[in-house]
Amino acid sequence: MRPVFHRRPQRVINHVRICFLACWISARLARQWHTTGETGNVTRILRELQTIRLGQIPVGQSGAPLPTRIIRVPQNLNVILSKLDLLPLFATPPTWAQPTNETQM
């Protein structure tokens, strides 16, 4: 960790609020996930889930996006998603990422 310097008192207060909120969410997820039998570290699980990627990349002057790229979710993440009852969130891509005729090439 590195020191964080704030120039205004309100920013210090807001920084503490955000840190407290992050701590509370982690504790809440750990408690909720413990009921499903998951014993892993919340931070590690969230980092693994962050490896799931879905997106469009605008290129060129027109800003036309490349075809949507969806990575295949690794089997170990599928197990975690299923155990935590989060698999339905990843069952289908969002509507903005649905493949069209042009992107299926």
Side-chain angles (χ1 to χ4, degrees):
M1 299 231 351
R2 61 180 177 80
V4 177
F5 300 101
H6 296 290
R7 300 204 169 132
R8 296 186 179 148
Q10 190 61 35
R11 290 184 181 175
V12 174
I13 293 168
N14 289 333
H15 184 98
V16 171
R17 285 180 182 154
I18 289 171
C19 291
F20 178 78
L21 183 61
C23 182
W24 181 83
I25 289 172
S26 293
R28 172 71 186 215
L29 285 174
R31 197 168 45 248
Q32 183 175 348
W33 290 354
H34 184 69
T35 62
T36 65
E38 178 58 51
T39 58
N41 183 320
V42 171
T43 305
R44 181 191 55 79
I45 293 171
L46 290 174
R47 281 201 182 119
E48 287 183 30
L49 294 176
Q50 286 177 348
T51 62
I52 299 172
R53 296 285 186 252
L54 168 70
Q56 294 179 334
I57 303 170
V59 282
Q61 292 180 0
S62 66
L66 287 173
T68 301
R69 302 291 183 212
I70 303 172
I71 68 160
R72 187 172 304 276
V73 177
Q75 185 61 33
N76 66 326
L77 289 181
N78 272 328
V79 171
I80 292 172
L81 290 170
S82 178
K83 193 175 193 181
L84 301 176
D85 200 25
L86 296 174
L87 203 52
L89 294 174
F90 297 91
T92 57
T95 54
W96 63 265
Q98 294 293 334
T100 61
N101 291 339
E102 301 88 45
T103 61
Q104 290 177 349
M105 293 179 189

